[in-house]
Each structure stands twice: as C-alpha cells, then as structure tokens.
Amino acid sequence: MNTQTDAFLKDQPATPVDVAQWAEVGQSHPHESAALHVLGEATYTDDIPEAQGTLHAALGLSQKAHARVRAINLDAVRAATGVVAVYVASDIPGTNDCGPIIHDDPILADGLVQYVGQPIFVVVADSHDNARRAVRKVVVDYEELPAILTPQAAHAARSYVLPPMHLARGDVESAFAIAAHKLSGELLVGGQEQFYLEGQISYAIPKEGNGMLVQCSTQHPSEMQHVVAHALGLHAHNVVVECRRMGGGFGGKESQSALWAAVAAISAQKLKRPVKLRADRDDDMMVTGKRHCFHYEYEVGYDNDGRIVGARVQMVSRAGYSADLSAPVATRAVCHFDNAYYLSDVDIRAMCGKTNTQSNTAFRGFGGPQGAIAIEYILDEIARNLGRDGLDIRRINFYGRNESEGRNVTQYGQIVVDNIIHELVDELEVSSAYRQRRAEINAYNASSLVLKKGLALTPVKFGIAFNVTHLNQAGALVHVYTDGSVLVNHGGTEMGQGVNTKVAQVVAHELGIPLALVRVTATDTSKIANTSATAASTGADLNGKAAQNAANKIRQRLAEFFVTLFGGDNSADITAVTFAAGMIQMGEYSISFPDLVQKAYMARVQLWSDGFYATPGLYWDSKTMTGHPFSYFAYGASVSEVVIDTLTGEWKLLRADALYDAGASLNPALDIGQVEGAFIQGMGWLTTEELWWNKDGKLMTHAPSTYKIPAISDCPQDFRVSLFKNRNVEDSIHRSKAVGEPPLLLPFSVFFAIRDAIASVADHRYNPPLNAPATSEAILQAITAVEAMAAG
Ligand code: MTE
Ligand code: HPA
Ligand code: MOS
C-alpha cells in the first residue's frame, strides 16, 4: 500500500453518518425548479432568447367542420404587413403527416378539411401579431360536406377511426339469466381540455448542413424528432429536439406538440431563419385534441347482496377526425372498466367514433378514468336500487384480498397479486369518519329544505406501464465531473410533476452524495436516443431505473478504485464499500466523494456512464385483449362531502379525504402535490369543465371565459391528502409507485357525492340521471327528473 495514500485516507474526518439510515430517496425535497418557478426565472420555450432574424408563424384554420376546399385565395395574406412567407400543404418538403401511430394526420389540410380549427396554411411574419393579423385575410371557398359531431352519431353511421375492440370473459347471457336483479342504462361523460398553462410552442433554429434544432414544449422529444425529420425529408440525425421544461402537458403534449414542431421546422428550413410558432389560447383549444368524451350503454346482472354477476358495456369514444392515440386510450378504458372490482362474466366493446372535431388525444389517465367511471356509475345504481350504502356495495365487489380468496384475475387475464384496496379503504373509512358523517348528513338533509348534502367513497386501482409494451424502456446518461458534481440526462421530460427531482434523488442516493451535488438538465434527443413519451405515469419509474443503472456503473468503478487505493483487491472488499452522505467508506478507510473522484480521474477511471431500463414481464395480445399489460397497480380511495343548492344547482365540495398508494414514496411532498393537483383536475372534468360544440361543429368553449377549470375557490376548505404506508411488491425504483395519473380518478367521489345529494330530494329512492360534467345546469335537470319520478 502506498503510505501517502494510506495517510490521506485515514486523515479524513471520521464520518458521523449512520450509513444504514442515510437516504436521499424517500425524503420530501422541494421540486428542483421550485425557486425558479416562484421567482419567474424558470425558462420556458418562449423565454429562450431569440436568435437574430427570428420570424414568427401563425396558422390559418378551417372554418368548416367538413368540407372540400375548392379554392383558397391568399393574396391579401401575402400582402399583409410584415408577412415574409405563406405556406400550404404542397410546400411541405417531406411527408405531410404528424400522426403518431396511424398516418392520417396531415400537418396542413390538403383539399379536405375535417374539423373547425384544422390548420390549412401557415403565415410567417416579422412578429407574432403581424402573423396572426395576416391569417384572417384569407378567403376560402368551401364545398360543405355532412359532418358527424357526436360519438352516438358516429356509432349510428358506423364511422370509426379504427376497427371496434372486443374483450369478453365467461358468459354474460347465462349470468343475466340467473341474476336476481338486472339493470341497464346509458351514460355520457364529456371530454376535457388539458389547459396546460404554457400553450403549445416550438422554436426551430436551422443549423449547418441541413441540421435543425427544435426547442419544443413536448412530452415526447423523440417523436418530435421523427415527425420533423419526415416533414423535412431528412434523417433523424439531422434533427435535435430539446425541452428543458413544460408549463404543464397533461397528455396534451404527448403527440400533439408535433404539429407545432413540424410547422416551425418546415418554415425555418424553407426560409433558413429561426421560426417560432406559439399558439394563443383560443387557437390552441380550437386546434388540439382533448380527453375523449365517452358514451356508454350498459347492462348488468347482480345478486341480492349487490354483487355483480355479469356485466356488458359498449363504449364509444369521440376520437375526432383522426386516430392519434385513440386506440391505446380505448384499450386502457377497456382495461379499467373493472376499476377495483372483480367481474367474473363480462363483455366489453369499445369503438372510437370518427367525428368532425379536434382529434382527441392523451389526457391524464388516458382512458382509464373513462373506463372506471362506468362501473362506478353502475355500482352507484345498484346500491340505490337495493337501498344500501354505496360503500358496502363497492366493498362486496372488490377483488379478492389474496390468492386463496380467488376473484383476483382481471378481465384481461392479469392476476392482481397485490390487492391492498380492502386495507386502504378500511383505513380511509375510519380516518374520514365516513359512517358518522353519513348519519350527520342524513340528519342535516331531513331538516334542510333547499340545501342538501351528499357523501361518497370511491376507490381506484390503476395499471402502471404503457399499455403498448415496447414503450416501456428508458435511457439515461450520468456525468461525474472532477469536482464531484454530477450532471444527469434522461429521456423523461419535466412538466411540473417533478421527474427531474426524483431522478436526481435516485442518482444522489446511488452515489451516496447530497442532492445538491446533482443537476438534471434539459431533455435532448442528441443525448438520449429513442425515448418514449413521458407518459403513462412511468416517468420516474423508467427514467429513475435507467439513471440508477448509469449511476450504479460509476459507483461500481469507484468502489473498485477505492479498494485498490489501499491495496485491497477482492470482491468482498468491493461490496463492503459504502457510499453515504458524501463519503466513501470501508472499515477504517474513508474519503470524500470529490476527493475520490479527483483521484479516480488521475488514474483514468471512466467517470460517466449510460444506463438503460426495460420493464420486465410485460406482454399483450391485442387480438384477444389479454396479457400482462401492467407492471403493477396503484391504489387509492377518497371520500367527498358536497352541498348542493336544489334551487340553483350550485354546489360546493365541503371536505375531501384522499388516501393514495405511492408505494415507498420517492418524495412524499411531490407525491402529495400530485394527488392534490390530480384530484382538483379530475373534479373539474366531472363538474365544471364543459366542452360545447355548436350545430356547425364549432367549439364555442375555447377560452377560460367560457370553459371553466377549477379555481382556488373551488378547492375544498378541508382537504386531507395522505399517502398509504406501503412498499411496491414489484421491484420498481426503490419500491415506489407511480403517482402522475391514478389520483385523477379519486374525485369520482365528488361526482357521486353530488349524485347522492340529488337523490336525497326523493329519499334516495331513484337513480338521478346525471351525465358528466355535473354542471349546475345538469344538477338542476337531474333534480327535476328525480322530483318527476317521485311524483310518479
Ligand atoms: N403534473 C404536472 N404538474 N403537470 C403535468 O403536465 N402531467 C400528468 C402527471 N402530472 C402533469 C403532471 C400526466 S398526464 C402524466 S402521464 C404524468 O404526470 C407524467 O409524469 P411522470 O410519469 O413522471 O409522473
Ligand atoms: N399512456 C400514455 N400514453 C400511451 C399509453 C399509455 O398507457 N400507451 C401508449 N401510449
Ligand atoms: Mo399522461 S395522459 O400519460 O401524458
């Protein structure tokens, strides 16, 4: 052993660290950009300093829902102030397509327009304002065609963007034949605008030799790279897409950032100047797709205890004019019709109605909420029909507690191995004082004529993984610099959810260094190739594992090097080396991380590494709709108490209790923030957010003046969110569970509490016909309907 090294190592201050206790994961660290967010210093795409010569683009939109374009006169547009260029479909150098799966999504409409708001041409001008003003000077001669606007109309016309899907198990007909009770009905659940605070935007900057850099607000940089390359007629290696952060995506930037990236890049390539395309809010809402609205027809048989013995449902979504992600959305709906319940005999059909409206796309939950709300609606009706509490009926239908209890295989064949819904709901029932409040509410309603209260508890079980198996992969790159600071890149994108914070925590933990030493930078297709969208709630699961893999390789090399420093060489020594609190230690030897790194560099040890992860065990047969599509399930439940005004239909959420299973949470503060945000967002979907198209197919609710997302005043005064104490049975990143989407289903309890309050006007004897969103108008109509039923 080199005595100098020996002396140095032993000289290090004795570490007071309890290595076993040290952890950077599982702690509530603030979001890595929290300070920048509140200071207004966080750079969004539109904040990037503009390069010299930057031009601004605007889109010319179809004014008809379905029409042939006979002629388009752009003379006045070209002559308008500040206009530099005008492009139509035939000007696109490569492929005129930005569809993610099926290529039925033109970037610019070519002769046929299929919805009000479809882009037909691009104006590039010296300013954003001039571009937008010029657009309006177009004269288009349309030959109008019949338009289909609703899922019901699409279904009647057998107008679908894809072939219908069918999943069946058991024999529903026989089940119905022996069922003590039957019910059937219809339900319509509206769509939802993503309403990210930062709208769609792309800024394309031409580079030498056919290069193109696109700064894009996107959840899916690799897909943007492909779309741009195809549109420009270039290879992927010519195009770099970068995204430091989004001001929210919520699924709306999974595929539909492509149009904006392509248009900016096409314009930039043709003009050889940087071009920015930023949508104003109205255009964003007119052009882009939203959550799919769903129409359901259902038929269910159940026994005297309220247990479902057979269920048949047909779901038709409003896909819009093209396929976009409608197929995987419908698949997820089919795979979430069970929610937390075992359905022995079941028959599910799903169709994606082709309509002359915006092409609907991903939105937090991705069809999961639409699948699960249908069974909740059905259980809500069964409970009322039997005069029982909704919680009792839900409980009796839950998946079995464990294997020996049976009832643990989903309709698509995946075994539910970790069912904790019983324990979780038991805990919430007590902590929310559910039974006591039920009694109090009954007493209140008995003496309150105009105001009526309602209460509901609803559970959530949500499958985690992309339901398209190959997408479940991720890459990462970890650089350790010679001063001991660490830079991480991974394929995930930051949209406010905190994926960068969680990935940094994982890397810090792996290297045993404080989080402050780790920095995560912009997502960049030139650093990590072939990434999946940051979606399906898998951002931290996949990229956390990939980054852990990269950091672990470096840790391994450092451990080996550390052992050689004092003359050890065996693998037992290497595995005994600990990394914690910035110190590397083995027996009496210890050294600080920066010191070891510096020495390792001098000894020519590689201090950076790539990492990769592919979720194991997943498979899916799309023909039979069976397999093992999910890595695991995340669970949750919530209780909501509302009061409604039976004369005006106004309502208020008085108290909400939510309990969510984030496994061994990587960062409880971030996870609670996700649960709170998703809860309120889901509540907006089911109550105030109403998309309304006029008879000509024009979306009339295309701004916050007419489309009401929840405000701070809509949040419950009493909001109790907690995480269920648990560890993932699957080997997920540090045994955590995903949190991004599942909590969006928690506010089902708000909707059913409203329905409960409405039902109270006739002693809960009738099922209020209530579609979502339960706007004040819809609540009032449902009250009138229930009163009419009671009057006979
Ligand atoms: N949280 C914030 N603040 N902003 C967002 O846009 N998107 C949601 C969810 N939480 C979103 C969010 C959606 S749709 C998904 S799929 C997940 O975050 C994606 O991030 P994750 O997989 O890293 O959790
Ligand atoms: N979620 C989000 N995006 C997706 C999915 C999913 O389950 N499957 C394919 N793309
Ligand atoms: Mo989230 S809808 O999977 O982007």
mmCIF file of all heavy atoms in Angstrom, residues 33-67:
data_model
loop_
_atom_site.group_PDB
_atom_site.id
_atom_site.type_symbol
_atom_site.label_atom_id
_atom_site.label_comp_id
_atom_site.label_asym_id
_atom_site.label_seq_id
_atom_site.Cartn_x
_atom_site.Cartn_y
_atom_site.Cartn_z
ATOM 1 N N SER A 33 -36.946 22.957 -9.478
ATOM 2 C CA SER A 33 -37.110 24.296 -10.039
ATOM 3 C C SER A 33 -38.026 25.169 -9.195
ATOM 4 O O SER A 33 -38.431 26.242 -9.658
ATOM 5 C CB SER A 33 -37.662 24.209 -11.459
ATOM 6 O OG SER A 33 -36.726 23.627 -12.337
ATOM 7 N N ALA A 34 -38.345 24.735 -7.989
ATOM 8 C CA ALA A 34 -39.336 25.475 -7.190
ATOM 9 C C ALA A 34 -38.959 26.951 -7.059
ATOM 10 O O ALA A 34 -39.790 27.834 -7.295
ATOM 11 C CB ALA A 34 -39.488 24.831 -5.812
ATOM 12 N N ALA A 35 -37.704 27.208 -6.725
ATOM 13 C CA ALA A 35 -37.295 28.599 -6.531
ATOM 14 C C ALA A 35 -37.388 29.367 -7.849
ATOM 15 O O ALA A 35 -37.863 30.505 -7.893
ATOM 16 C CB ALA A 35 -35.876 28.651 -5.978
ATOM 17 N N LEU A 36 -36.959 28.727 -8.928
ATOM 18 C CA LEU A 36 -37.023 29.385 -10.242
ATOM 19 C C LEU A 36 -38.475 29.663 -10.640
ATOM 20 O O LEU A 36 -38.787 30.706 -11.212
ATOM 21 C CB LEU A 36 -36.354 28.517 -11.311
ATOM 22 C CG LEU A 36 -34.886 28.177 -11.086
ATOM 23 C CD1 LEU A 36 -34.360 27.304 -12.236
ATOM 24 C CD2 LEU A 36 -34.028 29.434 -10.965
ATOM 25 N N HIS A 37 -39.357 28.711 -10.337
ATOM 26 C CA HIS A 37 -40.778 28.904 -10.661
ATOM 27 C C HIS A 37 -41.322 30.151 -9.967
ATOM 28 O O HIS A 37 -41.935 30.997 -10.602
ATOM 29 C CB HIS A 37 -41.611 27.700 -10.206
ATOM 30 C CG HIS A 37 -41.372 26.437 -10.992
ATOM 31 N ND1 HIS A 37 -41.633 25.188 -10.463
ATOM 32 C CD2 HIS A 37 -40.926 26.216 -12.240
ATOM 33 C CE1 HIS A 37 -41.340 24.264 -11.370
ATOM 34 N NE2 HIS A 37 -40.906 24.870 -12.455
ATOM 35 N N VAL A 38 -41.081 30.228 -8.661
ATOM 36 C CA VAL A 38 -41.704 31.339 -7.940
ATOM 37 C C VAL A 38 -41.005 32.664 -8.214
ATOM 38 O O VAL A 38 -41.618 33.722 -8.109
ATOM 39 C CB VAL A 38 -41.808 31.072 -6.416
ATOM 40 C CG1 VAL A 38 -42.716 29.885 -6.143
ATOM 41 C CG2 VAL A 38 -40.447 30.862 -5.783
ATOM 42 N N LEU A 39 -39.746 32.615 -8.598
ATOM 43 C CA LEU A 39 -39.039 33.860 -8.934
ATOM 44 C C LEU A 39 -39.308 34.299 -10.370
ATOM 45 O O LEU A 39 -38.888 35.374 -10.780
ATOM 46 C CB LEU A 39 -37.527 33.674 -8.746
ATOM 47 C CG LEU A 39 -37.040 33.574 -7.300
ATOM 48 C CD1 LEU A 39 -35.605 33.078 -7.254
ATOM 49 C CD2 LEU A 39 -37.168 34.928 -6.601
ATOM 50 N N GLY A 40 -39.962 33.447 -11.139
ATOM 51 C CA GLY A 40 -40.194 33.776 -12.542
ATOM 52 C C GLY A 40 -38.935 33.601 -13.378
ATOM 53 O O GLY A 40 -38.817 34.147 -14.460
ATOM 54 N N GLU A 41 -37.985 32.855 -12.870
ATOM 55 C CA GLU A 41 -36.714 32.691 -13.593
ATOM 56 C C GLU A 41 -36.626 31.379 -14.360
ATOM 57 O O GLU A 41 -35.661 31.153 -15.083
ATOM 58 C CB GLU A 41 -35.546 32.786 -12.605
ATOM 59 C CG GLU A 41 -35.326 34.197 -12.090
ATOM 60 C CD GLU A 41 -34.231 34.275 -11.041
ATOM 61 O OE1 GLU A 41 -33.510 33.284 -10.837
ATOM 62 O OE2 GLU A 41 -34.111 35.352 -10.431
ATOM 63 N N ALA A 42 -37.602 30.498 -14.185
ATOM 64 C CA ALA A 42 -37.585 29.225 -14.919
ATOM 65 C C ALA A 42 -37.813 29.530 -16.398
ATOM 66 O O ALA A 42 -38.739 30.251 -16.752
ATOM 67 C CB ALA A 42 -38.670 28.300 -14.390
ATOM 68 N N THR A 43 -36.939 28.993 -17.241
ATOM 69 C CA THR A 43 -37.012 29.291 -18.674
ATOM 70 C C THR A 43 -37.955 28.325 -19.378
ATOM 71 O O THR A 43 -37.701 27.116 -19.398
ATOM 72 C CB THR A 43 -35.604 29.169 -19.291
ATOM 73 O OG1 THR A 43 -34.707 29.981 -18.547
ATOM 74 C CG2 THR A 43 -35.605 29.614 -20.758
ATOM 75 N N TYR A 44 -39.031 28.840 -19.921
ATOM 76 C CA TYR A 44 -39.918 28.056 -20.793
ATOM 77 C C TYR A 44 -39.538 28.379 -22.238
ATOM 78 O O TYR A 44 -38.761 29.309 -22.481
ATOM 79 C CB TYR A 44 -41.386 28.385 -20.486
ATOM 80 C CG TYR A 44 -41.757 27.980 -19.086
ATOM 81 C CD1 TYR A 44 -41.551 28.843 -18.011
ATOM 82 C CD2 TYR A 44 -42.231 26.701 -18.822
ATOM 83 C CE1 TYR A 44 -41.827 28.448 -16.708
ATOM 84 C CE2 TYR A 44 -42.518 26.294 -17.522
ATOM 85 C CZ TYR A 44 -42.314 27.168 -16.473
ATOM 86 O OH TYR A 44 -42.580 26.770 -15.185
ATOM 87 N N THR A 45 -40.066 27.621 -23.167
ATOM 88 C CA THR A 45 -39.613 27.764 -24.560
ATOM 89 C C THR A 45 -39.695 29.212 -25.045
ATOM 90 O O THR A 45 -38.780 29.713 -25.694
ATOM 91 C CB THR A 45 -40.410 26.814 -25.470
ATOM 92 O OG1 THR A 45 -40.182 25.475 -25.011
ATOM 93 C CG2 THR A 45 -39.958 26.912 -26.921
ATOM 94 N N ASP A 46 -40.775 29.903 -24.689
ATOM 95 C CA ASP A 46 -40.910 31.276 -25.183
ATOM 96 C C ASP A 46 -39.959 32.246 -24.484
ATOM 97 O O ASP A 46 -39.846 33.398 -24.894
ATOM 98 C CB ASP A 46 -42.366 31.744 -25.011
ATOM 99 C CG ASP A 46 -42.740 32.817 -26.026
ATOM 100 O OD1 ASP A 46 -42.090 32.879 -27.097
ATOM 101 O OD2 ASP A 46 -43.677 33.596 -25.756
ATOM 102 N N ASP A 47 -39.309 31.798 -23.415
ATOM 103 C CA ASP A 47 -38.371 32.668 -22.693
ATOM 104 C C ASP A 47 -36.950 32.548 -23.234
ATOM 105 O O ASP A 47 -36.076 33.320 -22.831
ATOM 106 C CB ASP A 47 -38.331 32.287 -21.203
ATOM 107 C CG ASP A 47 -39.692 32.405 -20.548
ATOM 108 O OD1 ASP A 47 -40.424 33.359 -20.874
ATOM 109 O OD2 ASP A 47 -40.021 31.533 -19.724
ATOM 110 N N ILE A 48 -36.710 31.580 -24.109
ATOM 111 C CA ILE A 48 -35.360 31.402 -24.642
ATOM 112 C C ILE A 48 -35.034 32.636 -25.487
ATOM 113 O O ILE A 48 -35.833 33.024 -26.341
ATOM 114 C CB ILE A 48 -35.290 30.119 -25.507
ATOM 115 C CG1 ILE A 48 -35.553 28.890 -24.632
ATOM 116 C CG2 ILE A 48 -33.948 30.007 -26.227
ATOM 117 C CD1 ILE A 48 -35.773 27.611 -25.417
ATOM 118 N N PRO A 49 -33.912 33.278 -25.226
ATOM 119 C CA PRO A 49 -33.580 34.484 -26.000
ATOM 120 C C PRO A 49 -33.630 34.170 -27.503
ATOM 121 O O PRO A 49 -33.100 33.150 -27.943
ATOM 122 C CB PRO A 49 -32.159 34.812 -25.544
ATOM 123 C CG PRO A 49 -32.031 34.178 -24.198
ATOM 124 C CD PRO A 49 -32.880 32.957 -24.237
ATOM 125 N N GLU A 50 -34.294 35.044 -28.258
ATOM 126 C CA GLU A 50 -34.473 34.765 -29.684
ATOM 127 C C GLU A 50 -33.199 35.058 -30.457
ATOM 128 O O GLU A 50 -32.570 36.094 -30.271
ATOM 129 C CB GLU A 50 -35.635 35.599 -30.232
ATOM 130 C CG GLU A 50 -36.968 35.039 -29.782
ATOM 131 C CD GLU A 50 -38.147 35.944 -30.086
ATOM 132 O OE1 GLU A 50 -37.972 36.930 -30.842
ATOM 133 O OE2 GLU A 50 -39.239 35.662 -29.559
ATOM 134 N N ALA A 51 -32.863 34.151 -31.356
ATOM 135 C CA ALA A 51 -31.700 34.366 -32.218
ATOM 136 C C ALA A 51 -32.016 35.479 -33.204
ATOM 137 O O ALA A 51 -33.190 35.727 -33.523
ATOM 138 C CB ALA A 51 -31.381 33.068 -32.958
ATOM 139 N N GLN A 52 -30.961 36.112 -33.681
ATOM 140 C CA GLN A 52 -31.115 37.193 -34.645
ATOM 141 C C GLN A 52 -31.891 36.695 -35.872
ATOM 142 O O GLN A 52 -31.629 35.597 -36.360
ATOM 143 C CB GLN A 52 -29.730 37.653 -35.076
ATOM 144 C CG GLN A 52 -29.726 39.049 -35.605
ATOM 145 C CD GLN A 52 -28.323 39.491 -35.990
ATOM 146 O OE1 GLN A 52 -27.376 38.709 -35.894
ATOM 147 N NE2 GLN A 52 -28.205 40.711 -36.435
ATOM 148 N N GLY A 53 -32.821 37.514 -36.340
ATOM 149 C CA GLY A 53 -33.553 37.153 -37.551
ATOM 150 C C GLY A 53 -34.737 36.236 -37.317
ATOM 151 O O GLY A 53 -35.325 35.721 -38.266
ATOM 152 N N THR A 54 -35.093 36.035 -36.068
ATOM 153 C CA THR A 54 -36.218 35.143 -35.761
ATOM 154 C C THR A 54 -37.520 35.679 -36.340
ATOM 155 O O THR A 54 -37.829 36.863 -36.216
ATOM 156 C CB THR A 54 -36.355 34.969 -34.226
ATOM 157 O OG1 THR A 54 -35.211 34.261 -33.753
ATOM 158 C CG2 THR A 54 -37.620 34.192 -33.868
ATOM 159 N N LEU A 55 -38.276 34.764 -36.966
ATOM 160 C CA LEU A 55 -39.585 35.098 -37.511
ATOM 161 C C LEU A 55 -40.654 34.361 -36.711
ATOM 162 O O LEU A 55 -40.347 33.422 -35.967
ATOM 163 C CB LEU A 55 -39.655 34.704 -38.988
ATOM 164 C CG LEU A 55 -38.679 35.450 -39.899
ATOM 165 C CD1 LEU A 55 -38.634 34.814 -41.283
ATOM 166 C CD2 LEU A 55 -39.035 36.938 -40.000
ATOM 167 N N HIS A 56 -41.897 34.765 -36.923
ATOM 168 C CA HIS A 56 -42.997 34.201 -36.132
ATOM 169 C C HIS A 56 -44.083 33.672 -37.055
ATOM 170 O O HIS A 56 -44.454 34.333 -38.025
ATOM 171 C CB HIS A 56 -43.556 35.268 -35.203
ATOM 172 C CG HIS A 56 -42.507 35.786 -34.274
ATOM 173 N ND1 HIS A 56 -42.306 35.280 -33.016
ATOM 174 C CD2 HIS A 56 -41.540 36.739 -34.450
ATOM 175 C CE1 HIS A 56 -41.279 35.897 -32.451
ATOM 176 N NE2 HIS A 56 -40.797 36.789 -33.304
ATOM 177 N N ALA A 57 -44.578 32.509 -36.730
ATOM 178 C CA ALA A 57 -45.581 31.871 -37.586
ATOM 179 C C ALA A 57 -46.946 31.880 -36.906
ATOM 180 O O ALA A 57 -47.057 31.959 -35.682
ATOM 181 C CB ALA A 57 -45.163 30.433 -37.888
ATOM 182 N N ALA A 58 -47.984 31.806 -37.741
ATOM 183 C CA ALA A 58 -49.353 31.633 -37.243
ATOM 184 C C ALA A 58 -50.074 30.725 -38.221
ATOM 185 O O ALA A 58 -49.714 30.637 -39.397
ATOM 186 C CB ALA A 58 -50.064 32.978 -37.132
ATOM 187 N N LEU A 59 -51.095 30.018 -37.726
ATOM 188 C CA LEU A 59 -51.806 29.046 -38.549
ATOM 189 C C LEU A 59 -53.143 29.608 -39.026
ATOM 190 O O LEU A 59 -53.865 30.252 -38.259
ATOM 191 C CB LEU A 59 -52.069 27.773 -37.733
ATOM 192 C CG LEU A 59 -50.831 27.001 -37.285
ATOM 193 C CD1 LEU A 59 -51.219 25.924 -36.268
ATOM 194 C CD2 LEU A 59 -50.128 26.379 -38.488
ATOM 195 N N GLY A 60 -53.457 29.313 -40.279
ATOM 196 C CA GLY A 60 -54.781 29.632 -40.811
ATOM 197 C C GLY A 60 -55.667 28.409 -40.647
ATOM 198 O O GLY A 60 -55.298 27.313 -41.072
ATOM 199 N N LEU A 61 -56.820 28.575 -40.009
ATOM 200 C CA LEU A 61 -57.634 27.439 -39.591
ATOM 201 C C LEU A 61 -58.925 27.294 -40.398
ATOM 202 O O LEU A 61 -59.526 28.297 -40.802
ATOM 203 C CB LEU A 61 -57.994 27.587 -38.104
ATOM 204 C CG LEU A 61 -56.835 27.871 -37.149
ATOM 205 C CD1 LEU A 61 -57.349 28.001 -35.718
ATOM 206 C CD2 LEU A 61 -55.739 26.816 -37.245
ATOM 207 N N SER A 62 -59.343 26.070 -40.549
ATOM 208 C CA SER A 62 -60.609 25.799 -41.231
ATOM 209 C C SER A 62 -61.774 26.390 -40.446
ATOM 210 O O SER A 62 -61.824 26.285 -39.218
ATOM 211 C CB SER A 62 -60.811 24.287 -41.359
ATOM 212 O OG SER A 62 -62.153 24.028 -41.735
ATOM 213 N N GLN A 63 -62.732 26.951 -41.172
ATOM 214 C CA GLN A 63 -63.940 27.470 -40.526
ATOM 215 C C GLN A 63 -65.108 26.499 -40.688
ATOM 216 O O GLN A 63 -66.222 26.773 -40.260
ATOM 217 C CB GLN A 63 -64.308 28.837 -41.119
ATOM 218 C CG GLN A 63 -63.204 29.882 -40.970
ATOM 219 C CD GLN A 63 -62.776 30.105 -39.528
ATOM 220 O OE1 GLN A 63 -63.612 30.262 -38.641
ATOM 221 N NE2 GLN A 63 -61.466 30.090 -39.269
ATOM 222 N N LYS A 64 -64.827 25.365 -41.350
ATOM 223 C CA LYS A 64 -65.897 24.382 -41.586
ATOM 224 C C LYS A 64 -65.525 23.041 -40.952
ATOM 225 O O LYS A 64 -64.349 22.653 -40.917
ATOM 226 C CB LYS A 64 -66.111 24.178 -43.091
ATOM 227 C CG LYS A 64 -66.523 25.432 -43.840
ATOM 228 C CD LYS A 64 -67.918 25.889 -43.444
ATOM 229 C CE LYS A 64 -68.232 27.239 -44.091
ATOM 230 N NZ LYS A 64 -69.364 27.920 -43.450
ATOM 231 N N ALA A 65 -66.555 22.318 -40.512
ATOM 232 C CA ALA A 65 -66.324 21.036 -39.846
ATOM 233 C C ALA A 65 -65.949 19.940 -40.836
ATOM 234 O O ALA A 65 -65.193 19.020 -40.512
ATOM 235 C CB ALA A 65 -67.558 20.622 -39.054
ATOM 236 N N HIS A 66 -66.497 20.023 -42.034
ATOM 237 C CA HIS A 66 -66.204 19.000 -43.029
ATOM 238 C C HIS A 66 -66.474 19.628 -44.390
ATOM 239 O O HIS A 66 -67.613 19.992 -44.685
ATOM 240 C CB HIS A 66 -67.114 17.779 -42.804
ATOM 241 C CG HIS A 66 -66.664 16.551 -43.550
ATOM 242 N ND1 HIS A 66 -67.471 15.471 -43.766
ATOM 243 C CD2 HIS A 66 -65.477 16.246 -44.141
ATOM 244 C CE1 HIS A 66 -66.811 14.540 -44.432
ATOM 245 N NE2 HIS A 66 -65.596 14.990 -44.677
ATOM 246 N N ALA A 67 -65.447 19.775 -45.172
ATOM 247 C CA ALA A 67 -65.650 20.449 -46.461
ATOM 248 C C ALA A 67 -64.488 20.167 -47.398
ATOM 249 O O ALA A 67 -63.376 19.868 -46.957
ATOM 250 C CB ALA A 67 -65.782 21.959 -46.261
#
